[in-house]
C-alpha cells in the first residue's frame, strides 16, 4: 500500500490554523483522500496529558529546557503511536503544529540554543520530515488581536509581544532554510484569501 502524505500546519497564535484545517480536511476528502487530523502538543492520550501540563496556567513557571523536553516527549508518542501507523495504512495525516513549532517557540521565543533542539530532533524525529508544511504568516499584533477576542489565554499566550515577534522571525527564517518543504502563506487578510493560497499549494501534492 502506498504510504500516505504527512502535512503540517504551523504559525503564531491567531494565524488561522484551526480555521484553515477545517477547509483542508474537506478539500482533501473531495479528492478521495482519507485524512487523519491531529495536533501538537497532544494527539495521543499521553500527549494530551502533557499538553495540559504545558499549557495550563496553573502549571506556573517552567524551565525552558523542561518545556522543550516535554514537547519532544509528547512528539515521540505522537509519531510512534499515531502518525506513523496512520501513514503506513495509506492515510494522510494533517498535524496542527510539529517540530517547526519547537524551533520557533523554544528556539526563537525562549532563546534556547538551536543545537539542543536539533539534538532532540535527531533522537525523536530522526529523518522523518513532513512532506509539506503550510506556514501561516501574520503580523503578531493581528494574530494576538484575533486570539484576544476569544477570552482567557493559556500559559504560553501570556507571553509578551516581543516573544511572539521572535517566534515569527524564527518561522520566517526556517521557511528560507527549507523552501521546498515550508510554504509561507500570507494569512493577514481575509479567511478566503488564505484558503485560496492553500488550495493552490495542496494541488501541487
Ligand atoms: N508550542 C507547540 C510550543 O511552544 N512548542 C512546540 O513544539 C509546540 C508543538 C499550542 C501552543 O503550544 C506551543 C505553541 C502554542 O502556544 P495551539 O493549540 O496550537 O497551542 O494553539 P494556538 O496556536 O494558540 O492556536 P490558536 O487557536 O490561537 O491559533 P490558530 O489556530 O492559528 O487560529 P484560529 O484559526 O483559531 O483563529 C483565531 C481567530 O481568528 C479568526 C478565527 O475565526 C478565530 O476567531 N481568524 C481570522 N479572522 C480574520 N481574518 C482571518 N484571515 C482569520 N483567520 C482566522
Amino acid at each position: 500500500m502506498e504510504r500516505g502524505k504527512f502535512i503540517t500546519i504551523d504559525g503564531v497564535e491567531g494565524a488561522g490554523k484551526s480555521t484553515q484545517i477545517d477547509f483542508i480536511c474537506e478539500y482533501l476528502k473531495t479528492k478521495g483522500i482519507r485524512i487523519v487530523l491531529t495536533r501538537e502538543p497532544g494527539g495521543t492520550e499521553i500527549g494530551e496529558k502533557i499538553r495540559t501540563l504545558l499549557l495550563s496556567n496553573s502549571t506556573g513557571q517552567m524551565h525552558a529546557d523542561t518545556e522543550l523536553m516535554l514537547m519532544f516527549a509528547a512528539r515521540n508518542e505522537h509519531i510512534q503511536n499515531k502518525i506513523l501507523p496512520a501513514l503506513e495504512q495509506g492515510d494522510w495525516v494533517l498535524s496542527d503544529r510539529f517540530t517547526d513549532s519547537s524551533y520557533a517557540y523554544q528556539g526563537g521565543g525562549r532563546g534556547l540554543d538551536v543545537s539542543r533542539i536539533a539534538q532532540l530532533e535527531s533522537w525523536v524525529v530522526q529523518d522523518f520530515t513532513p512532506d509539506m508544511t503550510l506556514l501561516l504568516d501574520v503580523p503578531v499584533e493581528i494574530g494576538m488581536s484575533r486570539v484576544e477576542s476569544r477570552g482567557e489565554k493559556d500559559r504560553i499566550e501570556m507571553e509578551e509581544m516581543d516573544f511572539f515577534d521572535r517566534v515569527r522571525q524564527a518561522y520566517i527564517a526556517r521557511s528560507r532554510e527549507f523552501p521546498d518543504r515550508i510554504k509561507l502563506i500570507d494569512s493577514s487578510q481575509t479567511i478566503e484569501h488564505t484558503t485560496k493560497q492553500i488550495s493552490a499549494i495542496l494541488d501541487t501534492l
Side-chain angles (χ1 to χ4, degrees):
M1 180 176 298
E2 199 184 331
R3 190 177 155 125
K5 298 225 182 273
F6 180 39
I7 304 173
T8 62
I9 184 161
D10 229 309
V12 291
E13 262 71 9
K17 297 180 302 304
S18 313
T19 309
Q20 298 299 331
I21 277 169
D22 292 342
F23 161 74
I24 296 169
C25 287
E26 285 313 308
Y27 189 72
L28 293 177
K29 277 182 200 157
T30 64
K31 310 269 174 194
I33 291 165
R34 288 196 315 267
I35 182 103
V36 173
L37 173 62
T38 188
R39 68 173 181 180
E40 289 207 347
T44 64
E45 209 178 320
I46 292 176
E48 289 296 326
K49 286 182 179 162
I50 297 174
R51 178 188 178 91
T52 303
L53 184 62
L54 279 162
L55 299 185
S56 168
N57 281 312
S58 63
T59 300
Q61 283 277 341
M62 186 184 288
H63 192 283
D65 284 343
T66 311
E67 187 178 83
L68 177 70
M69 288 187 277
L70 285 174
M71 293 292 178
F72 273 94
R75 184 163 298 133
N76 190 56
E77 282 296 311
H78 197 205
I79 294 171
Q80 299 301 333
N81 294 332
K82 187 158 187 185
I83 300 175
L84 289 179
L87 293 176
E88 272 149 28
Q89 276 186 25
D91 292 349
W92 286 34
V93 175
L94 173 61
S95 182
D96 185 347
R97 300 189 177 280
F98 195 60
T99 312
D100 295 306
S101 283
S102 299
Y103 281 96
Y105 283 78
Q106 282 67 52
R110 301 274 186 236
L112 288 184
D113 194 331
V114 166
S115 66
R116 299 184 115 169
I117 306 174
Q119 259 180 325
L120 283 171
E121 183 184 26
S122 70
W123 181 10
V124 172
V125 185
Q126 297 171 33
D127 55 0
F128 174 64
T129 315
D131 292 289
M132 180 179 281
T133 296
L134 302 166
L135 173 57
L136 304 192
D137 180 54
V138 69
V140 169
E141 308 76 55
I142 298 180
M144 287 316 279
S145 71
R146 290 176 186 168
V147 169
E148 267 156 19
S149 60
R150 207 168 41 192
E152 208 196 332
K153 293 177 172 176
D154 66 33
R155 193 182 63 85
I156 294 180
E157 285 168 353
M158 301 291 275
E159 290 296 332
E160 303 290 326
M161 283 294 192
D162 282 359
F163 173 91
F164 294 106
D165 267 329
R166 294 195 298 276
V167 170
R168 182 182 180 214
Q169 292 315 318
Y171 272 129
I172 293 171
R174 276 186 77 73
S175 74
R176 293 196 179 122
E177 198 178 346
F178 304 103
D180 291 343
R181 171 175 67 85
I182 304 182
K183 309 296 176 193
L184 188 80
I185 294 161
D186 171 21
S187 192
S188 65
Q189 300 182 45
T190 60
I191 292 173
E192 295 68 31
H193 181 258
T194 308
T195 304
K196 225 170 164 184
Q197 295 171 76
I198 291 177
S199 58
I201 291 168
L202 287 178
D203 286 344
T204 66
L205 268 183

